[in-house]
Amino acid sequence: MEGAIAEDLPLTDLCILTVDDEADSRSLMEYILEKLGAEALVVASVREAIAAFTENPGRYDVLLADIRMPEEDS
């Protein structure tokens, strides 16, 4: 099944920024995205994500974000 997923959903031309406060989730997302060929930057906070966007505007094709972030949900 793994080969079928990689063939059906190639991410080789994508740069993906992932934001999650849970270390295990960050590790899993980084593993999956890189296994599918994406360039992945995984950060732990909204502030880190904003800094990544500010430092490299236009670099990221996709943002994956946890919808419940401590001190950032309001």
Side-chain angles (χ1 to χ4, degrees), residues 47-68:
R47 289 176 192 220
E48 289 179 70
I50 291 170
F53 277 122
T54 302
E55 292 169 11
N56 295 296
R59 177 178 180 195
Y60 303 99
D61 300 298
V62 177
L63 170 66
L64 297 177
D66 183 350
I67 59 172
R68 298 280 317 188

Side-chain angles (χ1 to χ4, degrees), residues 5-66:
I5 292 172
E7 291 171 11
D8 292 341
L9 300 171
L11 303 177
T12 54
D13 294 329
L14 294 178
C15 184
I16 301 173
L17 176 61
T18 302
V19 187
D20 199 307
D21 60 311
E22 295 290 329
D24 290 342
S25 295
R26 288 192 308 272
S27 295
L28 178 61
M29 290 304 298
E30 183 174 34
Y31 172 79
I32 291 169
L33 292 171
E34 289 180 351
K35 187 77 170 171
L36 292 173
E39 176 185 346
L41 175 63
V42 182
V43 298
S45 71
V46 172
R47 289 176 192 220
E48 289 179 70
I50 291 170
F53 277 122
T54 302
E55 292 169 11
N56 295 296
R59 177 178 180 195
Y60 303 99
D61 300 298
V62 177
L63 170 66
L64 297 177
D66 183 350

